[in-house]
Amino acid sequence: MEQQNDCSIQRGQPLRRYPNDYKAEGHSSTLNKTTTNQPQYSNTGRPTVRIAVYLMTGVFLTMEVEQNATAQQIFTIVQSEAELGLSRFSLPTTTPIFALWMCSSQLEIQLRPTHKPVELAAKWNYLVNKYSSYAEDSDDEEPLLYFRRNIFLSKSEEEQIKDIKVLELLYAEARYNVLQGRYACDGPARYASLGALQARIELGPYNAQTHTLAFFHRHRGRFLPHHYASPSLLLGLGLGLGLVGGKGAPEAHLLEQYKRIPSHNGSANANPKKLIRKYLEFCWNLPCYGAAFFQGQIERPVRGLASWITNRDMQILIAINTSGVFIVDDIQCSLLLGLKYSELSWEMAKPSDENNPDCLPCLFLQFPVRENGARVYKILQVFSRQAPMMDTLISGFAEDYRRQFINSDSNNDQLEHSLVFPSGSFTNKLSKFTLATFDDEGRCIGQMGSWSFR
């Protein structure tokens, strides 16, 4: 394919909450249509299409490519665009920092270098129908092409990156995932710290006249995740939790943190590059950092007769990265379960009736816990049409872990220490799950919910 030289940078709309904001105004988000009613052709005589590649900074790059262009060819065009400043960076490891992703509200796929995005977009509705839990709403799904962090880049590799242009892109993506609640923290104080850092990066030094509590109350959706940005249900009860000026309001904690950040750019801690890196360092300690996210559902624990009447399935996100597998409550932005590859066993099961749309594939996740002083094994069943994709990704990361274990020159304790979760660890919330329990010999010694009928 002959590389085109007519690429142009244009400012897009800010990236916001799914599912309604996948289109930038004034530009078609489809990749399988040309921009005019007449076919376009390259000077090789092959048909071309004009596409847009979106960056997490809110900038998108337009280019004209041949319809059979590969992801690697498009990636090279983006990386070489002078205005992005990415052509000169070098990674001190062999893993690429970024990759092309194709995303819509119901499905996100990191593309292989050999994938052909235009062809993939043409069958996107088929893929959504196959892999989404909300297939009935797939007719309006139009994918966008994103330039995002490579799922296979490890945290240790990312920590070696010094180039400010690269760090800015990684910061924008991390900020997006924090605000979407995907990078779940273990308390409001951590969100306030991240929001304060974001405010200092984007607003500059604290100004008492401008950066008031009322200002952050109006704009808290810009600096805090959606479950903190929503108006408090306790408004009007005099508890001060959602009121402007209330000491318990999330934006009040954010403002106090913001005030503490040095105001003078001469300070080493106030240098923009240092602030961006500080934000990333904070995110590197979040268990879900750098994960690919999948949609799924789990059975709620049955407590009382009323639980059988109501819907017992909980919609969740499954986050998978180089460290492990995580279960996230997407509504409450809460991390429910985290499993390292050293302690995880899993198996994928196909539906017993593949013609029944309500019969979903599932992942069985097995992990050890100590219960009443004894080591037992819990099994969690996760239902998802995306189970085959999760199974493939887990298999790859688990194999990497196995190779590290076998090839490591250090002892097992040192290897285990290198693979434990970072300092932002949490306590698994097992009470949120319907689990089966097995002893060391494989005997089932505890059942809950639908497990009781097996």
Side-chain angles (χ1 to χ4, degrees):
M1 184 189 77
E2 181 176 319
Q3 180 170 320
Q4 304 294 318
N5 296 317
D6 61 345
C7 298
S8 61
I9 298 291
Q10 302 183 43
R11 180 65 58 177
Q13 295 296 312
L15 297 177
R16 299 188 294 271
R17 178 78 181 157
Y18 299 161
N20 298 318
D21 298 306
Y22 269 87
K23 299 177 184 178
E25 290 182 8
H27 291 268
S28 171
S29 63
T30 56
L31 295 172
N32 57 342
K33 299 177 183 178
T34 56
T35 55
T36 70
N37 292 327
Q38 298 300 320
Q40 305 295 304
Y41 296 92
S42 68
N43 54 15
T44 64
R46 289 191 287 268
T48 64
V49 59
R50 193 160 191 82
I51 65 171
V53 180
Y54 291 78
L55 281 68
M56 301 305 289
T57 54
V59 170
F60 61 90
L61 181 70
T62 61
M63 65 186 74
E64 194 161 317
V65 298
E66 294 179 0
Q67 289 188 356
N68 64 350
T70 65
Q72 181 60 53
Q73 290 170 322
I74 296 172
F75 180 92
T76 300
I77 294 174
V78 176
Q79 190 173 0
S80 62
E81 173 55 48
E83 291 185 61
L84 294 180
L86 299 176
S87 57
R88 296 185 183 87
F89 77 79
S90 59
L91 180 68
T93 64
T94 57
T95 309
I97 302 173
F98 299 106
L100 286 186
W101 289 68
M102 189 166 287
C103 306
S104 68
S105 63
Q106 299 182 38
L107 186 62
E108 303 178 15
I109 298 175
Q110 178 172 312
L111 304 186
R112 298 188 184 121
T114 56
H115 274 141
K116 297 179 179 180
V118 177
E119 294 181 4
L120 197 61
K123 58 180 181 179
W124 191 253
N125 283 339
Y126 164 78
L127 294 173
V128 171
N129 278 313
K130 182 176 180 180
Y131 292 114
S132 172
S133 298
Y134 310 99
E136 65 274 9
D137 301 325
S138 66
D139 290 344
D140 296 330
E141 285 284 287
E142 292 183 351
L144 291 187
L145 201 55
Y146 276 97
F147 188 81
R148 294 190 349 189
R149 187 187 186 278
N150 180 6
I151 178 63
F152 300 105
L153 181 72
S154 69
K155 294 177 188 178
S156 60
E157 290 175 310
E158 186 172 332
E159 289 169 357
Q160 302 175 50
I161 299 171
K162 307 297 183 184
D163 189 281
I164 184 58
K165 294 293 186 181
V166 178
L167 293 175
E168 286 174 352
L169 287 178
L170 292 170
Y171 158 75
E173 186 168 347
R175 175 192 63 194
Y176 173 81
N177 283 310
V178 167
L179 295 178
Q180 298 307 306
R182 290 183 162 194
Y183 287 174
C185 296
D186 58 3
R190 290 180 175 269
Y191 286 120
S193 297
L194 285 168
L197 272 173
Q198 180 191 340
R200 179 62 179 83
I201 292 167
E202 298 175 11
L203 301 178
Y206 168 70
N207 183 315
Q209 283 70 45
T210 304
H211 304 132
T212 62
L213 188 54
F215 170 86
F216 283 106
H217 183 80
R218 289 194 306 272
H219 298 284
R220 60 180 178 176
R222 177 179 171 184
F223 300 103
L224 293 167
H226 64 83
H227 66 305
Y228 285 121
S230 301
S232 172
L233 295 177
L234 298 176
L235 276 172
L237 298 183
L239 300 182
L241 294 178
L243 299 172
V244 177
K247 292 184 179 180
E251 62 268 27
H253 294 297
L254 187 156
L255 178 57
E256 288 304 312
Q257 296 276 0
Y258 180 39
K259 289 178 180 179
R260 297 174 190 169
I261 301 175
S263 299
H264 302 292
N265 284 327
S267 168
N269 291 329
N271 178 283
K273 181 178 178 180
K274 295 282 187 181
L275 291 168
I276 286 174
R277 187 168 184 87
K278 187 71 175 176
Y279 190 99
L280 285 170
E281 287 173 352
F282 200 117
C283 290
W284 292 337
N285 282 325
L286 300 177
C288 291
Y289 183 78
F293 291 87
F294 302 88
Q295 299 170 347
Q297 59 196 66
I298 57 175
E299 183 180 357
R300 295 178 187 271
V302 176
R303 295 186 177 90
L305 181 61
S307 297
W308 289 100
I309 302 173
T310 60
N311 178 17
R312 290 180 289 113
D313 282 345
M314 176 193 298
Q315 300 298 323
I316 58 167
L317 289 178
I318 304 94
I320 301 172
N321 62 15
T322 57
S323 299
V325 179
F326 308 88
I327 305 297
V328 179
D329 181 343
D330 189 33
I331 303 300
Q332 298 297 324
C333 302
S334 172
L335 190 56
L336 303 178
L337 179 68
L339 303 171
K340 303 188 297 287
Y341 293 113
S342 60
E343 64 185 11
L344 170 66
S345 298
W346 81 100
E347 184 173 341
M348 192 198 82
K350 294 182 179 180
S352 55
D353 182 3
E354 297 192 23
N355 294 321
N356 183 354
D358 296 324
C359 195
L360 302 178
C362 66
L363 278 180
F364 291 97
L365 303 177
Q366 177 181 297
F367 52 96
V369 300
R370 295 204 69 81
E371 200 169 79
N372 300 322
R375 180 185 176 96
V376 298
Y377 295 88
K378 300 288 185 178
I379 295 182
L380 171 67
Q381 188 173 14
V382 177
F383 300 92
S384 175
R385 296 188 193 280
Q386 299 173 4
M389 294 190 291
M390 290 188 275
D391 178 51
T392 299
L393 193 56
I394 293 172
S395 297
F397 284 141
E399 178 62 22
D400 287 344
Y401 167 79
R402 188 188 68 82
R403 283 197 297 266
Q404 290 181 55
F405 188 87
I406 293 175
N407 298 331
S408 175
D409 293 329
S410 57
N411 61 44
N412 290 349
D413 290 338
Q414 289 176 316
L415 178 63
E416 178 69 14
H417 177 72
S418 71
L419 293 170
V420 297
F421 292 153
S423 57
S425 291
F426 66 100
T427 301
N428 286 330
K429 301 175 178 63
L430 298 186
S431 63
K432 300 287 186 179
F433 301 104
T434 296
L435 302 167
T437 306
F438 293 82
D439 63 15
D440 268 330
E441 297 182 4
R443 293 187 296 259
C444 183
I445 57 176
Q447 299 166 315
M448 298 173 63
S450 61
W451 286 99
S452 303
F453 297 95
R454 301 183 185 195

Coordinates of all heavy atoms in Angstrom, one line a residue, residues 299 302 308 312 434 444 447-454:
E299 N -24.1 -14.5 39.1 CA -25.3 -14.8 39.9 C -25.1 -14.1 41.3 O -24.1 -14.3 42.0 CB -25.5 -16.3 40.1 CG -26.8 -16.7 40.8 CD -26.9 -18.2 41.0 OE1 -26.1 -18.9 40.4 OE2 -27.9 -18.6 41.6
V302 N -28.1 -15.6 47.0 CA -29.5 -15.6 47.4 C -29.6 -15.5 48.9 O -29.1 -16.3 49.7 CB -30.1 -17.0 47.0 CG1 -31.6 -17.1 47.4 CG2 -30.0 -17.1 45.5
W308 N -35.3 -14.6 45.3 CA -35.7 -15.5 44.2 C -36.6 -14.8 43.2 O -36.8 -15.2 42.0 CB -36.3 -16.7 44.7 CG -35.4 -17.6 45.4 CD1 -35.2 -17.7 46.8 CD2 -34.4 -18.5 44.8 NE1 -34.2 -18.6 47.0 CE2 -33.7 -19.1 45.9 CE3 -34.1 -18.8 43.5 CZ2 -32.7 -20.0 45.6 CZ3 -33.1 -19.8 43.3 CH2 -32.5 -20.4 44.3
R312 N -31.4 -12.0 39.8 CA -30.3 -12.4 40.7 C -29.0 -12.2 39.9 O -27.9 -12.6 40.4 CB -30.4 -13.8 41.2 CG -31.5 -14.0 42.2 CD -31.7 -15.4 42.7 NE -32.2 -16.3 41.7 CZ -31.5 -17.3 41.2 NH1 -30.2 -17.5 41.5 NH2 -32.0 -18.1 40.3
T434 N -21.9 -15.8 44.3 CA -22.4 -17.1 44.5 C -21.3 -18.1 44.1 O -20.9 -18.2 43.0 CB -23.7 -17.3 43.6 OG1 -24.7 -16.4 44.1 CG2 -24.2 -18.7 43.8
C444 N -16.9 -31.4 46.9 CA -17.7 -30.2 47.0 C -18.2 -30.2 48.5 O -18.9 -31.1 48.9 CB -18.8 -30.2 46.1 SG -19.8 -28.7 46.2
Q447 N -22.2 -25.2 48.7 CA -22.9 -24.8 47.5 C -23.8 -23.6 47.8 O -24.3 -23.5 48.9 CB -23.7 -25.9 46.9 CG -22.9 -27.1 46.6 CD -23.8 -28.4 46.3 OE1 -24.7 -28.6 47.1 NE2 -23.5 -29.1 45.2
M448 N -23.9 -22.7 46.8 CA -24.8 -21.6 46.9 C -25.6 -21.4 45.7 O -25.2 -21.8 44.6 CB -24.0 -20.3 47.2 CG -23.2 -20.3 48.4 SD -22.1 -18.8 48.5 CE -23.4 -17.5 48.5
G449 N -26.8 -20.8 45.8 CA -27.6 -20.5 44.6 C -27.8 -21.7 43.7 O -28.2 -22.8 44.1
S450 N -27.7 -21.4 42.4 CA -27.9 -22.5 41.4 C -26.9 -23.6 41.5 O -27.2 -24.7 41.0 CB -27.9 -21.9 40.0 OG -26.7 -21.4 39.7
W451 N -25.8 -23.4 42.2 CA -24.9 -24.5 42.4 C -25.5 -25.7 43.2 O -25.2 -26.8 43.1 CB -23.6 -24.1 43.2 CG -22.6 -23.3 42.4 CD1 -22.5 -21.9 42.4 CD2 -21.6 -23.7 41.5 NE1 -21.5 -21.5 41.6 CE2 -20.9 -22.6 41.0 CE3 -21.2 -25.0 41.1 CZ2 -19.8 -22.7 40.1 CZ3 -20.1 -25.1 40.2 CH2 -19.5 -24.0 39.7
S452 N -26.5 -25.3 44.0 CA -27.1 -26.3 44.9 C -28.0 -27.3 44.1 O -28.3 -28.3 44.6 CB -28.1 -25.6 45.9 OG -27.3 -24.6 46.7
F453 N -28.3 -27.0 42.8 CA -29.1 -27.9 42.0 C -28.3 -28.7 41.1 O -28.8 -29.4 40.2 CB -30.1 -27.0 41.2 CG -31.1 -26.3 42.2 CD1 -30.8 -25.0 42.5 CD2 -32.2 -26.9 42.7 CE1 -31.6 -24.3 43.3 CE2 -33.0 -26.2 43.5 CZ -32.8 -24.9 43.9
R454 N -27.0 -28.7 41.2 CA -26.2 -29.5 40.3 C -25.8 -30.9 40.8 O -25.7 -31.0 42.0 CB -24.9 -28.7 40.0 CG -25.2 -27.3 39.4 CD -24.0 -26.6 39.0 NE -24.4 -25.2 38.5 CZ -23.7 -24.4 37.9 NH1 -22.4 -24.7 37.6 NH2 -24.1 -23.2 37.5

